């Protein structure tokens, strides 16, 4: 959710299992008050906030400490998601999320678990070898500092690169739990727009496999095929380690929560 999504959270709260993690974004057009208000709303709704820390958007260490201090005051600093962020040029001292992790500031404010980014289909602006080194370095740094870690991936439409990437993560000796980014149900045009923005593969073969109809862009699509196939493939792979889902709520919090609840009920039958 973003800082503007509090009404959507309240609308969806009865459909979301108590204790679920809800990520709170760090957008350039939102301020500290909005981020803190959103994290507080997550707690009051019975969930666990995971506020984002966008490293390159931080202008100073003082700004990071102010943010973490405000989160700690409301009991929302235990879990964070450290990511590099969009600006090509850092606005302050942190070139990437690894710099934030290595700063030692997180522990001062009660951070216990740090989510870090994973890119099964690569990143449009970062070479693959750089991504792998960053993942290894961040995993090592978190382990050395005694912080728990979770890898949270960019969303995907195709299970093949996701499963291959998970195997490579484990081959490299990283046993961190992985949460696979999964688009919640949304309009097809909206999903494809986000895919283009984030460099996610969305060619004709993949969108057909996912369930899109390119002849009806006004329709909607959900992740039924993706989630079912991913579950089947991982069940066949004893070495995949702990893997769960992270939903990107492009179509709204309630639509995603309703879908997940219905899908869980159907698959339990």
């Amino acid at each position: 959710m973003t800082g503007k999504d509090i009404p959507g959270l309240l609308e969806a709260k009865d459909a979301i299992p108590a204790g679920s993690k809800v990520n709170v974004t760090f957008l350039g057009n939102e301020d500290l008050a909005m981020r803190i208000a959103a994290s507080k709303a997550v707690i009051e709704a019975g969930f666990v906030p995971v506020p984002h820390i966008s490293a390159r958007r931080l202008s100073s260490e003082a700004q990071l400490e102010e943010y973490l201090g405000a989160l700690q005051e409301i009991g929302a600093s235990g879990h964070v998601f450290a990511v590099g962020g969009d600006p090509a040029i850092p606005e302050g001292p942190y070139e990437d999320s690894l710099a934030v992790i290595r700063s030692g500031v997180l522990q001062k404010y009660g951070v216990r678990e740090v989510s870090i980014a994973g890119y099964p289909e690569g990143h449009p602006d970062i070479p693959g070898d750089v991504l792998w080194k960053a993942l290894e370095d961040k995993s090592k740094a978190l382990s050395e500092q005694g912080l728990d870690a979770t890898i949270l991936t960019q969303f995907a439409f195709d299970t093949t690169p996701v499963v291959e990437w998970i195997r490579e993560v484990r081959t490299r000796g990283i046993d961190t739990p992985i949460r696979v980014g999964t688009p919640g149900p949304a309009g097809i045009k909206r999903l494809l727009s986000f895919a283009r923005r984030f460099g996610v593969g969305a060619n004709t073969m993949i969108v057909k496999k996912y369930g899109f109809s390119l002849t009806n862009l006004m329709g909607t699509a959900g992740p039924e095929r993706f989630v079912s196939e991913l579950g089947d493939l991982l069940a066949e792979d004893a070495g995949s380690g702990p893997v769960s889902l992270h939903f990107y709520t492009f179509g709204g919090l309630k639509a995603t929560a309703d879908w997940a609840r219905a899908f869980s009920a159907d698959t339990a039958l």
Side-chain angles (χ1 to χ4, degrees):
M1 64 177 289
T2 72
K4 301 182 182 73
D5 285 338
I6 293 176
L9 175 70
L10 298 178
E11 180 188 24
K13 69 175 184 178
D14 291 337
I16 303 174
S20 294
K21 290 181 176 178
V22 179
N23 283 43
V24 179
T25 58
F26 193 109
L27 300 180
N29 61 356
E30 295 183 351
D31 59 19
L32 175 66
M34 294 179 70
R35 296 171 191 136
I36 298 303
S39 294
K40 185 177 181 181
V42 171
I43 294 173
E44 291 174 346
F47 311 124
V48 178
V50 183
H52 291 197
I53 299 174
S54 181
R56 286 192 289 272
R57 290 194 186 280
L58 295 168
S59 60
S60 65
E61 182 174 302
Q63 184 186 14
L64 174 60
E65 296 214 34
E66 179 187 21
Y67 180 39
L68 290 170
L71 289 171
Q72 188 177 43
E73 285 182 6
I74 63 168
S77 64
H79 307 264
V80 299
F81 175 41
V83 65
D86 295 330
I89 299 175
E91 298 175 11
Y94 304 110
E95 181 179 0
D96 51 29
S97 57
L98 180 60
V100 172
I101 292 168
R102 285 176 170 167
S103 71
V105 173
L106 301 180
Q107 297 93 316
K108 290 171 57 178
Y109 294 92
V111 174
R112 302 186 306 277
E113 179 190 49
V114 180
S115 295
I116 54 178
Y119 299 91
E121 294 186 293
H123 190 289
D125 301 319
I126 305 174
D129 60 335
V130 176
L131 288 174
W132 282 116
K133 186 176 188 310
L135 186 64
E136 291 173 333
D137 288 348
K138 285 183 283 188
S139 297
K140 181 181 179 181
L142 290 170
S143 177
E144 289 174 346
Q145 295 187 41
L147 292 169
D148 293 334
T150 296
I151 300 172
L152 195 161
T153 83
Q154 180 57 278
F155 67 90
F157 295 132
D158 187 7
T159 55
T160 300
V162 172
V163 172
E164 291 175 350
W165 180 85
I166 291 173
R167 288 172 182 157
E168 180 65 19
V169 170
R170 302 312 185 202
T171 297
R172 290 172 180 262
I174 301 172
D175 58 4
T176 303
I178 296 171
R179 295 174 64 196
V180 176
T182 306
I188 293 171
K189 290 180 69 174
R190 183 173 177 83
L191 288 171
L192 292 178
S193 173
F194 275 103
R196 287 192 294 269
R197 184 185 309 177
F198 294 106
V200 173
N203 61 38
T204 303
M205 179 196 73
I206 292 174
V207 299
K208 181 178 180 180
K209 183 176 181 180
Y210 192 82
F212 291 174
S213 172
L214 294 179
T215 59
N216 181 18
L217 293 179
M218 298 305 294
T220 61
E224 292 88 354
R225 294 185 188 183
F226 178 84
V227 173
S228 296
E229 185 173 307
L230 181 65
D232 291 342
L233 291 171
L234 292 177
E236 298 170 0
D237 188 348
S240 60
V243 179
S244 57
L245 300 177
H246 171 80
F247 287 101
Y248 288 83
T249 59
F250 300 138
L253 285 157
K254 189 173 189 307
T256 300
D258 286 343
W259 178 91
R261 184 167 61 173
F263 183 83
S264 296
D266 288 344
T267 53
L269 295 177

